Amino acid sequence: MWINEDVLQGEAVILEPLTLEDTDAYIKVSEDGDVWKLWYTTVPKP
C-alpha cells in the first residue's frame, strides 16, 4: 500500500488514518449542524 499508516502521537493529540470503523462517529459529528455547507470544509452530507 502506498499510504503511510503511521500514527502520530503528541501530548494532547493522536493523529491516525481513518478506517471504516470510524464511519459512525463521523456521521454523528456531521449531523451537528450544517457543517458541510461551510465554504472552508469538505465534509459530505450525512
Side-chain angles (χ1 to χ4, degrees), residues 13-34:
V13 67
I14 298 173
L15 298 175
E16 58 189 5
L18 296 177
T19 66
L20 290 175
E21 288 78 26
D22 299 317
T23 302
D24 291 338
Y26 280 93
I27 289 172
K28 184 172 181 163
V29 169
S30 72
E31 290 173 346
D32 185 21
D34 293 334

Side-chain angles (χ1 to χ4, degrees), residues 25-46:
Y26 280 93
I27 289 172
K28 184 172 181 163
V29 169
S30 72
E31 290 173 346
D32 185 21
D34 293 334
V35 71
W36 60 85
K37 292 182 180 178
L38 300 174
W39 66 269
Y40 51 85
T41 187
T42 57
V43 177
K45 292 181 181 179

